[in-house]
């Protein structure tokens, strides 16, 4: 049985809602996606789920992924959000 790891990242940005919606729209053609301006959920194959929550000052990202793909999935999410946020420098600090 595959172990699912949950990790969280809180990114300081005043544009969290914008990035949440861009990421959800970007992946909607490939994956099961639900979102509104303040929260989103992206369900991917192999028990991978990305949940997003926007506040006025942050974008909160929660990732559930198999242990062997967690680091790779973090990188994929980070790189996509960073691409949408090309006008600002974002810091992604995942725990655990």
């Amino acid at each position: 049985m595959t172990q699912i790891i949950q990790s969280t990242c809180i990114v300081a940005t005043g544009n969290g809602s914008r990035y949440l919606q861009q990421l959800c729209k970007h992946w909607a053609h490939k994956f099961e996606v639900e979102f509104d301006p303040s929260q989103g959920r992206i369900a991917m194959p192999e028990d991978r789920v990305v949940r997003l929550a926007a506040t006025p000052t942050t974008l909160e990202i929660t990732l559930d992924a198999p242990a062997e793909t967690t680091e790779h999935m973090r990188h994929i999410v980070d790189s996509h959000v960073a691409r949408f946020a090309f006008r600002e420098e974002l810091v992604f600090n995942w725990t655990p």
Side-chain angles (χ1 to χ4, degrees), residues 5-13 16-17 19-20 23-24 27 38-42 44 49-55 58-64 70 73-82 84-85 90-96:
I5 302 293
Q6 184 175 83
S7 48
T8 305
C9 183
I10 299 175
V11 181
T13 179
S17 178
Y19 303 148
L20 177 158
L23 186 63
C24 289
W27 277 339
S38 63
Q39 59 188 351
R41 182 180 184 277
I42 304 162
M44 301 175 172
V49 178
V50 178
R51 286 183 303 285
L52 306 152
T55 73
T58 64
L59 174 62
E60 300 175 8
I61 308 166
T62 303
L63 170 66
D64 295 333
T70 296
M73 285 303 303
R74 287 176 181 177
H75 175 72
I76 289 172
V77 172
D78 293 354
S79 65
H80 277 75
V81 174
F84 301 138
L90 300 180
V91 176
F92 299 88
N93 290 318
W94 289 90
T95 60

